[in-house]
Amino acid sequence: MLKIKDIIDYLEKWAPLPYQESYDNSGLLTGNPQQELKGALISLDMTEEVVDEAIAQGCNMLISHHPIIFRGLKSLTGKNYVERTVIKAIKNDIALYAIHTNLDNVHTGVNRKIAEKIGLKDLSILDKKGGLLQKLTFFVPKESTQKVLSAVYEAGAGQIGNYDNCSFRVQGTGTFKPNDEADPAIGKQNRQEEVEEERIEVVFPGYRSKAILHAMLNAHPYEEVAHFLHNLENEYQETGSGMTGYLESPVDAKEFLLTLKEKMQLSCIRHTALPEGTIQKVAVCGGAGSFLLPAAKGVGADIFITADFKYHEFFDAEGKIVIADIGHYESEIFTKELIYEKIRENFSNIALYLSKISTNPISYV
Ligand SMILES: [Zn+2]
């Protein structure tokens, strides 16, 4: 029996909840994760209409990018659309699940999808997050190195960019004297020992540290394991906001905007003055991205494609970059496809649907 929890665990391996922004509310919002999954509907927003669609499709899970419960609820009386949507979901046993800024912040998330739609190459995160990585240093008798290393790799350590099983090792001598209470794996009570050991260092995302530490201690032969856990200030290249990439070859700015309109199915683009020359380096950020303008200018992007720019913020382009505001909903609409494809990769037989409802609250004439 497939549970709602199985889908959640899978999605959170892809876009871990600790990667969401502090103001966000991603994760399971309503429902019992232990319930059997009957079907899942994927949408950009949670609205009453979309919950109705889930009911009509026989789904008991609604997966959306934007969380309907965002600032917290102090009562549930149905006085606004947020409360009515939540009440309808609970009454009809629909689990509401949001995968929001955690999916913005992973390198295979929202912005990757936009970059692929536009046809960008050589992608990298625009504003990488620091302070997410940790390093574990531990000491192992030589003959146990492989066993312990395999265990920490298995638990998620030692993955850097396109490289797995990364570690650094150096040999040395460990010394210890077990007391009367000890049950040493090597040596005898009350006798000074010297053992040929290896000092091993591995790096990993900090949110995995408990599991990795547990795996290391479990696989290690010693009763007392010498180890150090350090926080790293390093940027984590796989996590952060926005993305940059390059067009295959430079394109005339006006021509690029017209192609962008077609590829992203836009009815209009609000943009700043176009340069005389061409466009090649492109920065993108799905949804409200004006906070990333300094980063986009800083990396020398020719254009920044995002949404929710305010009038005065457009002035900040200062002729150094083109700001192209394509609309919040429009910039993120392919996130539905992205989530669908990701779930399908692993669950080929479940009932899975893309919402057919446009939840865009903005219309154009
Ligand atoms: Zn958004």
Side-chain angles (χ1 to χ4, degrees), residues 131-301:
L132 291 175
L133 292 170
Q134 289 189 333
K135 185 182 79 165
L136 179 63
T137 305
F138 55 96
F139 303 83
V140 192
K142 247 182 114 178
E143 60 276 13
S144 299
T145 293
Q146 280 316 326
K147 183 185 173 208
V148 182
L149 260 183
S150 303
V152 296
Y153 291 155
E154 182 69 24
Q159 192 265 322
I160 302 173
N162 294 325
Y163 297 83
D164 286 333
N165 298 4
C166 304
S167 70
F168 181 78
R169 285 146 63 174
V170 63
Q171 294 186 12
T173 306
T175 72
F176 49 87
K177 188 165 104 180
N179 69 15
D180 290 336
E181 308 284 312
D183 179 17
I186 297 173
K188 291 205 163 58
Q189 289 172 339
N190 299 309
R191 213 176 72 189
Q192 182 69 27
E193 276 304 325
E194 285 199 359
V195 181
E196 231 184 287
E197 291 183 352
E198 287 191 305
R199 174 194 169 112
I200 302 175
E201 294 171 72
V202 285
V203 171
F204 45 86
Y207 79 95
R208 298 288 305 158
S209 73
K210 271 209 172 96
I212 288 163
L213 204 53
H214 184 76
M216 186 276 283
L217 294 173
N218 257 353
H220 202 291
Y222 284 4
E223 240 186 333
E224 300 290 346
V225 179
H227 64 278
F228 314 113
L229 188 61
H230 293 282
N231 293 324
L232 301 181
E233 291 300 318
N234 304 40
E235 284 182 339
Y236 186 20
Q237 73 219 57
E238 294 178 8
T239 310
S241 313
M243 192 158 262
T244 57
Y246 295 83
L247 296 168
E248 199 89 64
S249 52
V251 180
D252 170 74
K254 184 73 192 261
E255 199 183 311
F256 174 71
L257 286 184
L258 293 175
T259 321
L260 178 67
K261 224 173 144 177
E262 200 180 302
K263 285 184 173 161
M264 298 295 287
Q265 298 164 24
L266 310 170
S267 52
C268 81
I269 300 175
R270 301 193 304 152
H271 64 88
T272 55
L274 299 181
E276 294 285 318
T278 53
I279 299 274
Q280 186 159 28
K281 185 164 186 177
V282 180
V284 300
C285 177
S290 60
F291 71 101
L292 282 175
L293 181 64
K297 283 163 96 174
V299 298

Side-chain angles (χ1 to χ4, degrees), residues 65-66 100 104 286-288 328 332:
H65 184 46
H66 297 131
H100 189 209
D104 289 325
H328 194 127
E332 294 183 329

